[in-house]
Amino acid sequence: MVNRKELNLFSLIAIVVGTMVGGGAFNLPSDLAVAANSGPVLIGWLITGAGMIALALVLQNLAMRRPDLDGGIYSFARAGFGEFLGFNSAWGYWVSALLGNVAYATLLFGSLSYFFPMFGKGNNLPSIVFASVLLWLLHFLILRGVREAAFVNLITTIGKLVPIFLFLILMVFAFHWDVFVRDFWGTARGFDWPVVKQQVKDTMLVTLWVFVGVEGAVVLSGRAKHRKDVGRATVIGLLGTMVIYVLISVLAMGALSRGALSKLHEPSLAYVLEHVVGPWGAVIINLGLVISLLGAMLGWTLLAAELPYVAARDGIFPRWLGQENRNGSPSGSLWLTNGLIQLFIIIVLFSESTYQVAYSLASVAILLPYLFSALYQIKLVWTGEGYAKGESRGKDLLLGIAAVIYALWLVYAAGLDFLLMTAILYALGIFFYISARRENGKKAFRGWELPLATGIVIAAGVAIYLIAVGQLSPAG
């Protein structure tokens, strides 16, 4: 029997940081500049920071109160709200991970075009061929064992942080206060709440995307040597990464105007540094991005394969996805996961604005798992499950409420178009759910679950119709 308890604190922190600091950090300057001016960006970071800290503390608390739930973010929804919502939480997280890897693959070969122009924007035939080779190399690395893959992820995490720290040090000397505060609120009248609110809203999917992965240690909690390390890794990874993100965006906005930043090619971090120190700065950042994306793809492949594996063992996904190989790797889930990623990478050949579309859909798909984890915190506080008699629950209640409000705000900020397109992805999952339920001799839906499933299918049908008539497009 292979020992699954193989990840220590540093490996878990590396998983959290490695999955969060992917390609998003390297394109933050232009992604945020397209959405907002300096003032609204700071408000956006304040909201995101407060919301993500609340969510991280919720995940830490749930990992401590319910150590029996090894599926983490998926199993919280299942334990709190039943099989169907548990399945949808797992499915949404899995879909988010798949789309995230497609976004990373596109950005990776787009950045390599700085050195090898044949890769273009990362969505042409050479990019797809090399991305496919890379995908299956990572696949076979993980098949050799999760611990070995986690060690490689630790090395790439260190490698990606070096150029980012170099960027931050150099940008301190290039920061100009007058550039940062110029047109601070984006209106001639100064602070105008309707305009500022819209800009803040427009930053939300960007700031959410760069924090997706905060739950990485929770997803892999079943492989942690010590359960207490799961919560520690989550909070340490989040706080460290948050400081990096805020510094990147503030320093960039103090070096170039919003208009100049918004027009930079991907990865914009490279071209900001090129503006400050010359071409060698872009070379360093692009090399760092390549290392970062390799690590992010590895980390996200680990997470994407682990969750269906755990869900299958719980009877939520089809049974064959719970297979392990002799090294203890989730082989059945891994083959399906990477097979689908391969399919999406091929579809990239016919797409435009692939990176932005993929990360936006990935961000929206993961909202349901986040929301129901926060709601489960409130439920635990209400029932007292996992608490000692007389133990204070007030702080946990406030954190749960804050995380729920943040998740609902993100649903609002995502907008109807992305919510409808995500409904298509969730509707496809219903077939998997029905198959798994039948396999275990259980009725597909109970009570209110059938109306909910029907609503998802109707929303997906509306989205498909709107896409067909040209009124809905992923590219906006």
Side-chain angles (χ1 to χ4, degrees):
M1 180 67 179
V2 177
N3 177 26
R4 298 181 69 242
K5 308 288 185 179
E6 50 197 10
L7 301 181
N8 60 24
L9 176 62
F10 291 107
S11 293
L12 291 169
I13 292 174
I15 290 291
V16 174
V17 175
T19 48
M20 281 196 289
V21 183
F26 289 81
N27 213 49
L28 262 180
S30 61
D31 283 344
L32 286 174
V34 168
N37 291 80
S38 302
V41 165
L42 291 181
I43 295 176
W45 278 126
L46 183 63
I47 294 172
T48 302
M52 292 306 300
I53 288 173
L55 180 62
L57 292 174
V58 162
L59 294 175
Q60 180 187 41
N61 183 61
L62 293 177
M64 179 180 67
R65 303 291 175 188
R66 291 299 307 271
D68 55 308
L69 300 179
D70 284 343
I73 197 167
Y74 132 72
S75 51
F76 298 149
R78 183 193 183 207
F81 307 102
E83 300 288 311
F84 185 57
L85 281 178
F87 168 84
N88 278 285
S89 185
W91 181 265
Y93 191 88
W94 188 43
V95 167
S96 178
L98 296 177
L99 292 170
N101 258 353
V102 175
Y104 287 144
T106 305
L107 188 57
L108 171 60
F109 287 94
S111 65
L112 281 173
S113 69
Y114 187 87
F115 308 104
F116 308 102
M118 68 176 183
F119 291 123
K121 295 181 179 179
N123 60 347
N124 58 12
L125 185 58
S127 299
I128 290 169
V129 171
F130 281 86
S132 301
V133 172
L134 173 61
L135 173 68
W136 294 105
L137 286 174
L138 295 176
H139 175 89
F140 289 108
L141 173 62
I142 296 173
L143 284 179
R144 289 178 59 86
V146 171
R147 181 172 56 187
E148 289 77 7
F151 176 75
V152 174
N153 181 71
L154 175 61
I155 299 302
T156 58
T157 298
I158 295 171
K160 76 176 68 175
L161 291 178
V162 171
I164 289 179
F165 286 142
L166 176 64
F167 173 87
L168 296 177
I169 292 169
L170 294 174
M171 291 303 296
V172 168
F173 300 99
F175 181 83
H176 298 286
W177 180 254
D178 59 325
V179 175
F180 181 70
V181 299
R182 188 184 304 153
D183 197 20
F184 192 68
W185 298 112
T187 70
R189 301 183 299 277
F191 185 87
D192 185 345
W193 173 239
V195 176
V196 171
K197 175 187 172 185
Q198 183 59 46
Q199 290 191 56
V200 171
K201 179 182 172 185
D202 291 342
T203 68
M204 285 296 102
L205 287 185
V206 177
T207 55
L208 171 63
W209 166 239
V210 294
F211 281 118
V212 170
V214 67
E215 69 294 326
V218 177
V219 174
L220 292 171
S221 58
R223 299 181 183 271
K225 283 185 177 179
H226 305 290
R227 184 74 186 193
K228 62 184 179 181
D229 288 344
V230 173
R232 291 176 180 175
T234 300
V235 174
I236 292 170
L238 172 67
L239 293 179
T241 306
M242 185 179 298
V243 172
I244 291 172
Y245 288 160
V246 174
L247 286 175
I248 286 175
S249 54
V250 168
L251 292 174
M253 288 183 162
L256 290 169
S257 67
R258 178 188 177 186
L261 287 172
S262 65
K263 295 175 183 176
L264 293 178
H265 296 294
E266 301 163 359
S268 56
L269 203 70
Y271 297 102
V272 172
L273 194 57
E274 183 179 60
H275 170 78
V276 173
V277 301
W280 70 266
V283 171
I284 293 295
I285 295 299
N286 274 292
L287 287 173
L289 177 57
V290 170
I291 295 171
S292 176
L293 289 169
L294 288 172
M297 287 183 68
L298 175 59
W300 272 108
T301 304
L302 279 169
L303 298 185
E306 183 73 7
L307 198 140
Y309 163 80
V310 175
R313 297 213 154 192
D314 287 343
I316 299 296
F317 274 32
R319 204 172 292 153
W320 62 272
L321 290 171
Q323 296 173 0
E324 277 187 353
N325 66 7
R326 63 182 181 180
N327 297 318
S329 295
S331 54
S333 174
L334 189 63
W335 279 104
L336 177 62
T337 295
N338 284 340
L340 289 173
I341 293 174
Q342 177 67 81
L343 176 62
F344 290 149
I345 287 175
I346 292 172
I347 294 173
V348 162
L349 181 63
F350 307 101
S351 305
E352 295 292 334
S353 304
T354 308
Y355 172 67
Q356 287 80 6
V357 172
Y359 84 61
S360 296
L361 284 172
S363 299
V364 176
I366 207 169
L367 291 182
L368 188 67
Y370 284 168
L371 174 61
F372 280 97
S373 294
L375 287 170
Y376 185 51
Q377 165 105 330
I378 295 175
K379 183 176 180 179
L380 281 190
V381 170
W382 181 263
T383 63
E385 185 181 0
Y387 291 86
K389 187 174 181 180
E391 185 178 357
S392 174
R393 308 177 205 168
K395 183 187 75 172
D396 292 345
L397 177 62
L398 290 176
L399 287 172
I401 292 172
V404 168
I405 292 172
Y406 175 59
L408 291 174
W409 161 254
L410 289 174
V411 171
Y412 164 73
L416 185 59
D417 286 0
F418 275 113
L419 291 174
L420 285 174
M421 285 185 286
T422 306
I424 298 175
L425 301 174
Y426 273 95
L428 292 173
I430 293 175
F431 297 103
F432 263 70
Y433 179 70
I434 293 174
S435 173
R437 297 290 286 179
R438 287 178 176 172
E439 189 177 69
N440 289 282
K442 297 179 180 179
K443 185 179 178 181
F445 302 105
R446 294 184 299 177
W448 52 268
E449 292 177 347
L450 180 58
L452 178 59
T454 303
I456 294 172
V457 172
I458 291 173
V462 170
I464 292 170
Y465 170 76
L466 293 176
I467 291 173
V469 299
Q471 294 183 23
L472 182 62
S473 170

